[in-house]
């Protein structure tokens, strides 16, 4: 790896890791179910960046981009189902507080 | 060097947008923050010579997903603010820890002398474009995409259509 | 003879058993005769295989496992013996089980047990042995579970207790196989000098004696006696499992390991044996139920066998093996008399019985012979085997002899009590039993009892027959036979030491006197001692005695009762600690783990991240 | 040919949704036929002279079939069939059945795809297809607990995806490709690099979450116990096995370099799951939840064996290598056995739930006489789970324990034996509470479940008994059961 490439890689890798931390923090601390879905989105951003970065660094943008596109499609599907679940939970309990999903225990 | 300043600026903005997304009290702002994060990611993807992924990210993640989320927030509107918002306010401070984490990690990497350099694999030929790659090499992924989208469509029908029991 | 015929000994009863299991509903009526037919075929096979030699070796299941069977004198003998008992019990059960809803299951499991026992006896590979051994555990479980409605609990108890000892056995096999570099049983010859070998021996011994029903792995037997169908007791704990357990004990002592008097496991076995004799018999003494009393004797008698083999001298070992055979005969016979009584009166509670001797003369006569045999009355088979064991024990230390002799006294006393209470005297008052309607058991039930009682006399009077033809060949070829005692005739015939015979007679006399005295004090005491009774000063005392304040028998009984009670408590304590401690800890941990699942997904994410971090850190550090 | 495993369910899905042909009534039978045909087709696969057909020239999925894959495809066909049977018996109206059949077809697509692909990213894609279907299926009845269970699965599954994709990008950096073959070479060459170690650890941990291994497991009991009966059967039988365990075994054999450290880490997780699952199962009051924890415990065995394989594979001593391969064979076999007997137990619980109206063991009792087939098959399944001879579960556990012992990991072997005893304990406890003892007065009128349940139970019980009895035979047909590179 050339120093220039290493610098670019390092910068964005650090960014991706920070976004990852932010996403996990939000996932763990939020009390709003929709926000937990948003946290998952943030986590996915980080991962997308990492994959594209890997492709860029190894000069394989074609491969990395096709992976990223598939990843985005899956992300949408998961998010739609997640939001669907949250809406259903809301229509049944009238709440989207995380304590509405703490009934299965033991 | 100016290129690197741009890189760093984009990175910082990306992180800042993510922080704002997760720390703002209002759900609508949070969704907008997510869209902004996506837009910044798009810019970074362009910077990393990945225009197709960038366009995709922009249209789907900065367009479609926030639209869905906004409608979801709208449907659950009464829930978002007051009570939950008050709990959130203090949390912005936590993100001051991010630079500390960064510094600690850098120190650890240097201190432990972790070798980060590695041999890169040979690049593919210049002929490989996203379209050919996706169509010729990653057909299985395409089928998977179709299946997952179908599943999501059915999921909406199963989960949301009709009244709850 | 083709070695493949050995497979028949397993496949015939197994197939017959599976068929019997399928005879549900009305077809169940056929299951009895079917079982009789199958056990008869099995006996035919047993006779055919007896005194032959064969080795069967089939590839099995890959990775070097082989299905190896070996027929030689000893295993042939055990197969023959179990086949005999199988036939007798099947014959007996036809009447006893008639009309019961799950009789086809009883026969099915019984035949499967026979198949398992044949397999285990013939197995010449540790894994094959384990396979059949565990299979027997399954059929045992099933046979108890089809008993009374609450039998499930007992079945589970038996399953757990035996399961634990089987785990020990599994470990023992692993150790032995590791030390010997082979799992072929006939190729294993280990000296008992290293600690690993000794540990392997002890573990295997635990498996063997627990199959035999020795203490401390016995506590399911008395419960099973009450809960399970009665022929089961005659069949599994009294005969099949004893034969198998002691067979295996003999195999590990004689073949797999070279048990010598120097090895410390020898006194260990003798202590286990002596303790089993004494503890079990003193519990038997206070039982008020025909079947429970017999069940405790079933435990106590194992003590003699373990003691005999544990002596590690030829006399004792031959005695132990002979006693194994004898015990199977008289103990299953005794259980069958219990079944006959239950069949006739509907109960086995001694408080409700009495005076059955006149109504059931044949049963009583057989009981008399069988009880004499278990008590070691001269000229019965039990006498000869016990004398051999005494002789062996005395060769090691007099204390073991004393314990065994004391055990005999108590055995005799308890059988006098049992016989007296059930067959003699007057019918009990306030009994639910309609004594005028009590009839002798039907011929198909009597026949097995008579055969077994006759066998007691035949094997006693002609003890050379079993010793020379059944026991001694098994003994040949081991390190003992090579050493000093080549000739088997040495063991047969009247005991050499008249001192031992004298002591035995004295012991029996003591039991009889004790009984007579006790019965007298307990009974009316009318007539004979009136003048003393009414003597001044003594009257009050006798009055008190009349109220049984200091009746020696009752005091003795009370003391024995207390002792038994304490022993029983200790017994239960062990039970509780073994069962309670482990299950308690597991439960506690279970509740803790369960409580940790609070339902908060954030917590679950944290667990996952921490887990991933731990794995990653471990990877990075190595 | 192999493409059909992915394309046929999709084609069926389109067929049952076409307006003219799409009679909704035919949806479920069609899906059942498809699952049945799959099970039979897999059995025929080894005897096919060539696997490429006209479709292969048109499509280019890069599919590969391994013996492990065959095993899983068979399990998928079998369990999906049974799950559809149970679904038909429990879901009622046509519309629901049609939706259920559609989701099942998509789930089958996802599972078959995940089993057949030979590319790490495609594996992820199909796992995600299955996961999305699972979310929806769990919440299929839209009752609150099911929604909760599904939502937690969404979150934990997303965390797993992040771990896996993050690791994948690191691997991509080094290998330049996501194909198994290229990855294997690159990982072997750079196995000392901390980045790659991190990548391997991350990916494996993602699979642990998907497969429900302790301490990554906590979503699983909720998902299994709150899902509709038919879905529990599918999820417990093959769902999480394909997405987590299959991937782990496949990677261990075809991608990951032999590594003592990774092997040890995997074994610790496996042993931990074994113990935690068994211990937690001891105190459960709900049948389905007990079975879920039992699943965690049983998967611990598989992972333990896989770890043993990884740890031994790099050894210079050929005996250790052979022991590791034996462990892998045991893991594969146990995975299959577990699919069969655990789905059987879930079918039993479904029948009990349907007939008695509850799965709470405190309210049940004495159902054995009322529901003889359910009771009897449940005993068979429980004994097989606990590893009682001669049922299927005994053999697979025996192989695993033997392999551990031969690898010199006696402590793990003993632990496995001990957990086996605990397994027997809690399953017998369950049997006693549900099927034995006195029938509660309110359960007097309970009858055996409808044909759907009975047929499903009999099929699975027959398989578990036959596999147990014919085990020696199966071992000799090694080419079907075991990977060719494992020579025993």
């Amino acid at each position: 790896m050339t120093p220039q490439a290493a610098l670019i890689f390092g910068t964005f890798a650090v960014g991706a890791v920070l976004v990852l931390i932010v996403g996990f923090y939000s996932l763990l601390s939020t009390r709003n179910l929709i926000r937990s879905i948003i946290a998952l989105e943030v986590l996915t951003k980080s991962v997308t960046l990492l994959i594209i970065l890997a492709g860029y660094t190894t000069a394989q943008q074609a491969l990395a981009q096709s992976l990223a596109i598939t990843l985005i499609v899956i992300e949408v599907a998961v998010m739609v189902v997640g939001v669907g679940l949250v809406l259903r939970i809301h229509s049944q309990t009238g709440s989207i507080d995380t304590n509405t999903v703490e009934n299965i225990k033991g | 060097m100016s290129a690197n300043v741009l890189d760093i600026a984009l990175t910082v903005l990306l992180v800042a947008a993510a922080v704002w997304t997760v720390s703002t009290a209002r759900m609508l702002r949070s969704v907008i923050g997510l869209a902004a994060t996506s837009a910044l990611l798009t810019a970074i993807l362009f910077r990393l010579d990945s225009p197709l992924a960038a366009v995709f990210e922009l249209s789907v993640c900065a367009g479609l997903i926030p639209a869905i989320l906004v409608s979801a927030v709208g449907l659950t509107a009464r829930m978002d603010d007051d009570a939950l918002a008050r709990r959130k306010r203090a949390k912005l401070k936590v993100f001051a820890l991010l630079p500390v984490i960064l510094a600690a990690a850098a120190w650890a990497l240097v201190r432990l002398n972790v070798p980060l350099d590695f041999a890169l694999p040979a690049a593919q030929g210049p002929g490989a474009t996203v379209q050919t790659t996706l169509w010729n090499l990653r057909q299985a992924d395409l089928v998977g995409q179709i299946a997952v989208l179908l599943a999501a469509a059915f999921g909406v029908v199963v989960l949301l259509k009709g009244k709850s029991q | 003879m083709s070695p493949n015929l050995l497979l028949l000994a397993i496949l015939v009863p197994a197939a017959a058993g599976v068929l019997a299991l399928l005879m549900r509903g009305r077809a169940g009526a056929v299951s009895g005769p079917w079982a009789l037919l199958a056990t008869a075929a099995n006996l035919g096979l047993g006779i055919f295989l007896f005194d032959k030699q064969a080795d069967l070796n089939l590839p099995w299941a890959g990775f070097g496992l082989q299905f190896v069977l070996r027929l030689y004198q000893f295993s042939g003998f055990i197969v023959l013996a179990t086949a005999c008992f199988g036939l007798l019990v099947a014959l007996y059960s036809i009447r006893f089980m008639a009309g019961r809803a799950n009789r086809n299951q009883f026969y099915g499991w019984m035949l499967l047990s026979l198949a398992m026992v044949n397999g285990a006896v013939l197995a010449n590979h540790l894994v094959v042995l384990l396979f059949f051994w565990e299979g027997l555990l399954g059929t045992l479980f099933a046979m108890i579970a089809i008993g009374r409605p609450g039998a499930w609990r007992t079945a589970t108890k038996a399953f757990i207790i035996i399961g634990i000892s089987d785990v020990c056995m599994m470990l023992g096999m692993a150790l032995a196989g590791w030390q010997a570099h082979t799992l072929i049983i006939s190729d294993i010859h280990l000296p008992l000098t290293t600690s690993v070998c000794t540990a392997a021996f002890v573990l295997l011994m635990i498996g063997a004696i627990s199959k035999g029903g020795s203490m401390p792995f016995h506590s399911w037997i008395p419960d099973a006696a009450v809960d399970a169908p009665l022929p089961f007791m005659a069949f599994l704990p009294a005969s099949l499992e004893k034969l198998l357990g002691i067979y295996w004990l003999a195999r590990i002592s004689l073949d797999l390991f070279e048990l010598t008097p120097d090895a410390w496991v020898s006194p260990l076995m003798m202590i286990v044996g002596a303790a089993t004799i004494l503890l079990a018999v003193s519990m038997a003494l206070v039982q008020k139920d025909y079947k429970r009393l017999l069940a405790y004797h079933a435990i106590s008698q194992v003590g003699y066998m373990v003691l005999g083999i544990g002596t590690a001298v030829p006399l004792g070992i031959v005695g132990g093996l002979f006693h194994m055979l004898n015990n199977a005969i008289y103990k299953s016979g005794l259980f069958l008399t219990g079944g006959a009584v239950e069949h006739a009166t509907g109960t086995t509670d001694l408080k409700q019985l009495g005076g059955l001797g006149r109504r059931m003369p044949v049963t009583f006569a057989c009981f008399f012979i069988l009880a004499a045999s278990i008590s070691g009355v001269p000229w019965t088979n039990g006498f000869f085997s016990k004398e051999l064991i005494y002789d062996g024990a005395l060769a090691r230390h007099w204390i073991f002899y004393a314990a065994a002799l004391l055990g005999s006294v108590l055995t005799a006393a308890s059988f006098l009590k049992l016989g007296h209470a059930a067959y003699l005297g007057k019918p009990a008052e306030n009994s639910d039993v309609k004594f005028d309607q009590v009839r002798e058991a039907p011929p198909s039930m009597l026949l097995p009892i008579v055969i077994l009682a006759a066998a007691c006399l035949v094997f006693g009077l002609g003890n050379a027959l079993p010793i020379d033809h059944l026991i001694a060949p098994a003994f040949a070829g081991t390190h003992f036979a090579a050493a000093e005692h080549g000739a088997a005739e040495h063991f047969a015939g009247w005991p050499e030491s008249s001192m031992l015979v004298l002591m035995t007679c004295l012991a029996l006399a003591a039991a009889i006197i004790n009984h007579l005295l006790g019965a007298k004090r307990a009974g009316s005491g009318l007539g004979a001692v009136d003048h003393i009774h009414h003597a001044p000063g003594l009257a009050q005392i006798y009055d008190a005695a009349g109220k049984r304040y200091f009746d020696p028998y009752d005091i003795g009984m009370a003391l024995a009762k207390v002792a038994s009670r304490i022993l029983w408590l200790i017994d239960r304590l062990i039970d509780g600690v073994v069962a309670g401690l482990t299950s308690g800890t597991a439960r506690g941990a279970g509740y803790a783990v369960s409580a940790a699942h609070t339902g908060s997904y954030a917590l679950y994410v944290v667990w996952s991240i921490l887990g991933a971090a731990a794995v990653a850190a471990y990877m990075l550090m190595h | 040919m192999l493409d059909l495993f992915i394309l046929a369910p999709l084609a069926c899905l389109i067929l049952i949704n076409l307006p003219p042909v799409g009679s909704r009534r035919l949806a479920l039978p069609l899906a059942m036929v498809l699952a049945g045909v799959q099970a039979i087709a897999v059995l025929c696969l080894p005897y096919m002279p060539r696997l490429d057909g006209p479709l292969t020239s048109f499509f280019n999925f890069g599919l590969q079939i391994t013996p492990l894959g065959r095993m899983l495809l068979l399990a998928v066909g079998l369990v999906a069939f049974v799950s559809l049977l149970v679904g038909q018996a429990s879901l009622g109206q046509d519309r629901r059945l049609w939706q259920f059949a559609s989701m099942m077809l998509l789930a089958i697509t996802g599972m078959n795809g995940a089993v057949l692909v030979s590319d790490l990213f495609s594996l992820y894609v199909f796992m995600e297809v299955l996961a999305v279907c699972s979310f929806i299926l769990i919440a299929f009845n839209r009752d609150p607990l099911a929604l909760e269970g599904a939502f937690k699965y969404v979150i934990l599954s997303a965390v797993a995806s992040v771990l896996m994709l993050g690791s994948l990008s690191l691997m991509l950096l080094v290998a330049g490709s996501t194909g198994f073959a290229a990855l294997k070479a690159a990982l072997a060459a750079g196995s000392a690099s901390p980045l790659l170690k991190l990548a391997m650890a991350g990916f494996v941990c993602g699979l642990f979450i998907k497969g429900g291994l302790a301490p990554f497991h906590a979503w699983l009991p909720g998902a299994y116990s709150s899902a509709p009966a038919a879905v529990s059967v599918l999820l417990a039988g093959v769902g999480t096995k394909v997405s987590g365990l299959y991937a782990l075994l496949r990677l261990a054999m075809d991608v990951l370099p032999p590594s003592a450290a990774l092997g040890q880490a995997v074994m610790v997780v496996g042993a931990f799951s074994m113990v935690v699952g068994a211990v937690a199962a001891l105190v459960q009051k709900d049948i389905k939840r007990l079975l879920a924890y039992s699943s965690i415990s049983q998967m611990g065995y598989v992972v333990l064996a896989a770890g043993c394989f990884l740890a031994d594979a790099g050894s210079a001593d050929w005996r250790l290598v052979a022991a590791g391969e034996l462990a892998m064979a045991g893991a594969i076999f146990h995975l299959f056995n577990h699919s069969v007997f655990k789905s059987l137990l879930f079918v039993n619980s479904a029948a009990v739930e349907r007939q008695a109206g509850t799965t709470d063991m405190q309210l049940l009792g004495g159902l054995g006489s009322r529901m003889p087939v359910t009771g009897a098959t449940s005993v068979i399944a429980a004994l097989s789970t606990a590893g009682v001879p001669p049922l299927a579960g005994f053999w697979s556990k025996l192989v695993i324990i033997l392999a551990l012992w031969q690898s010199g990991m006696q402590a793990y072997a003993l632990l496995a034996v001990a957990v086996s005893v605990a397994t027997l304990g809690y399953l017998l406890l369950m049997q006693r509470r549900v099927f034995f003892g006195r029938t509660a007065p309110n359960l007097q009128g309970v009858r055996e479940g409808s044909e759907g349940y009975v047929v499903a139970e009999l099929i699975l019980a027959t398989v578990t008994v036959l596999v147990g009895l014919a085990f020696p035979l199966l071992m000799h047909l090694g080419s079907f059961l075991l990977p060719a590179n494992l020579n025993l």
Side-chain angles (χ1 to χ4, degrees), chain B residues 30 45 50 60 81 95-96 103 120 127 130 133 162:
Chain B
S30 187
L45 298 192
S50 306
V60 176
D81 296 320
F95 292 103
L120 293 178
V130 180
T133 311

Side-chain angles (χ1 to χ4, degrees), chain B residues 2 7-8 12-13 16 23 25 28 34 47 68 72-74 77 84 90 92-93 101-102 111 158:
Chain B
S2 62
D7 291 348
I8 293 170
V12 169
L13 281 175
S23 58
L28 268 178
L34 183 64
R47 163 71 186 87
I68 297 172
V73 168
L84 292 171
L92 199 56
K93 290 175 199 154
I101 295 172
L102 201 60
R111 189 82 174 72
V158 170

Side-chain angles (χ1 to χ4, degrees), chain B residues 86-127:
Chain B
R86 246 175 272 123
R87 284 186 212 142
K88 297 253 28 147
R89 209 147 288 159
K91 290 189 175 160
L92 199 56
K93 290 175 199 154
V94 175
F95 292 103
L97 282 176
L98 281 181
V100 179
I101 295 172
L102 201 60
W107 179 82
L109 285 178
V110 174
R111 189 82 174 72
L112 297 174
N113 200 12
V114 177
L116 283 180
D117 205 11
F118 44 86
L120 293 178
Q124 283 176 344

Side-chain angles (χ1 to χ4, degrees), chain D residues 354-444:
Chain D
R354 175 80 174 178
Q355 301 304 118
T358 178
T359 51
D360 187 341
M361 289 191 280
Q362 290 161 317
L363 305 177
L364 294 169
L367 289 180
S369 55
R370 310 261 147 204
M371 309 173 70
V373 179
T374 305
T377 50
S378 162
V379 170
I380 291 176
L383 293 181
S384 188
T385 312
V388 173
L391 296 166
F394 165 73
W395 296 109
S396 45
K397 280 195 183 173
L398 180 71
V399 172
I400 291 176
I401 290 166
L402 273 178
L404 287 169
W405 193 274
Q406 284 175 10
S407 307
M409 301 172 182
Q410 282 86 353
Y412 281 122
L414 294 184
L415 188 67
V417 173
V419 171
S420 218
V421 174
T423 308
L424 191 61
Y426 65 74
L427 285 173
L428 286 182
L429 215 62
M430 182 196 96
Q431 298 294 336
R432 202 183 81 194
R433 285 194 191 157
V434 178
F435 294 110
F436 296 87
R438 187 174 295 168
T439 314
N442 56 331
L443 298 177
Q444 290 293 349

Side-chain angles (χ1 to χ4, degrees), chain B residues 136 138-139 141 161 163, chain D residues 60 119 121-122 136 141-142:
Chain B
N136 292 337
R138 311 219 57 91
Q139 276 185 2
D141 294 1
K161 203 176 168 194
K163 288 202 170 166
Chain D
N60 180 19
D119 179 289
F121 188 78
S122 302
I136 299 161
N141 283 342
R142 305 198 291 208

Side-chain angles (χ1 to χ4, degrees), chain C residues 350-605:
Chain C
L350 291 178
K351 277 181 271 184
Q352 309 228 6
L353 296 174
L356 292 175
R358 266 164 297 163
R359 296 241 158 222
M360 307 172 71
V362 183
T363 309
F364 178 48
C366 290
F367 172 83
F368 186 79
I369 296 171
L370 294 164
S373 181
I374 194 175
S375 310
V377 173
W379 292 290
T380 61
N381 58 352
F383 168 73
F384 291 101
S385 53
K386 276 191 181 174
E387 291 306 310
L388 285 169
I389 294 173
Y390 291 158
D391 214 349
L394 204 53
R396 296 301 307 276
H397 198 282
W398 62 267
I399 189 97
F400 297 113
Y401 171 63
L405 195 63
L406 182 57
S408 288
V409 174
L410 297 176
T411 306
S414 71
F415 274 97
L416 286 168
K417 167 191 156 187
L418 174 62
H420 192 155
Y423 295 99
L424 301 176
K426 285 182 201 147
E429 288 164 24
N430 310 325
S431 170
D432 301 336
V433 180
K434 297 195 176 70
F435 283 93
D436 44 339
Q437 289 174 14
V438 169
R439 299 257 147 65
E440 181 60 279
S444 74
M445 288 175 70
L446 277 183
L447 185 62
I449 305 179
V450 172
I451 292 175
L452 289 168
C456 282
L457 293 178
V458 171
F459 280 13
L461 292 172
N463 61 63
L465 171 78
I467 293 184
D468 291 352
H469 291 96
L470 300 176
I471 314 286
F475 202 59
T478 64
H479 64 282
F480 287 108
E484 40 189 317
H485 297 277
E489 292 87 312
H490 189 78
F491 307 114
W494 188 256
E496 284 180 359
S497 161
S498 24
M499 192 274 288
L500 285 180
V501 179
L502 186 67
M503 289 296 288
T504 304
C505 292
L506 282 178
L508 289 172
I512 293 172
I513 292 168
N514 170 52
H515 179 75
L516 290 179
L517 272 178
K520 199 165 173 186
R521 297 285 163 96
S524 63
L526 220 67
V529 285
D530 271 0
H531 55 286
I532 310 172
H533 192 174
H534 297 298
L538 288 179
Q540 289 79 6
I541 299 174
Y542 275 105
D543 196 27
K547 291 174 186 161
R548 298 192 177 194
Y549 284 150
F550 29 70
D551 188 314
Y553 184 78
D554 266 6
I555 290 175
M557 274 294 141
L559 281 179
K561 223 178 221 171
V562 170
S564 299
R565 182 83 197 159
I566 292 169
L567 290 172
W568 186 80
L569 279 177
I570 293 173
D571 183 62
R572 293 293 121 163
L573 193 70
I574 295 169
D575 217 48
V577 168
V578 171
L581 202 66
T582 46
S583 81
T585 323
R587 261 174 190 275
Y591 284 118
V593 171
S594 190
H597 293 75
T598 59
S600 156
Y601 74 78
L603 179 68
Y604 300 165
V605 173

Side-chain angles (χ1 to χ4, degrees), chain D residues 192-378:
Chain D
S193 149
L195 267 187
L196 279 185
K197 283 181 178 173
L198 201 60
M200 288 191 280
F203 205 93
V204 168
C205 287
L207 293 178
F208 284 157
I209 297 182
K210 292 263 185 187
L213 273 299
F216 308 89
H217 67 286
W219 61 270
L220 188 143
Y224 281 16
S225 61
S226 64
V231 179
S232 308
V233 173
L234 182 80
L235 276 185
V238 287
T240 46
K241 275 68 200 167
V242 166
S243 61
L245 277 300
Y246 162 76
L248 184 68
L249 297 190
R250 181 82 198 270
L251 293 188
M253 279 191 289
D254 292 352
V255 177
L256 296 174
S259 148
L262 184 60
Q264 291 294 343
V266 169
M267 286 180 81
V268 169
V269 171
F272 187 63
S273 302
M274 238 162 53
V275 173
V276 165
V279 163
L282 273 174
V283 298
Q284 294 305 317
K285 303 208 162 37
D286 184 278
I287 306 176
K288 288 170 91 175
R289 223 170 151 74
L290 182 146
L291 294 178
Y293 277 110
S294 160
S295 239
I296 294 170
S297 173
Q298 295 301 310
M299 286 308 99
Y301 280 91
V302 175
V303 169
L304 184 63
C308 176
F309 170 78
L310 277 173
D312 284 352
S315 166
D317 183 352
W318 68 269
R319 269 168 305 191
L320 276 187
V321 176
E325 287 169 349
L326 185 60
M328 181 48 88
I332 296 171
F333 192 32
H334 197 61
L335 195 60
F336 177 77
N337 286 339
H338 182 268
S339 284
V340 178
F341 55 63
K342 193 47 62 71
S343 8
L344 176 50
L345 284 170
F346 269 102
V347 174
N348 292 326
S349 79
V352 168
E353 184 175 15
R354 175 80 174 178
Q355 301 304 118
T358 178
T359 51
D360 187 341
M361 289 191 280
Q362 290 161 317
L363 305 177
L364 294 169
L367 289 180
S369 55
R370 310 261 147 204
M371 309 173 70
V373 179
T374 305
T377 50
S378 162

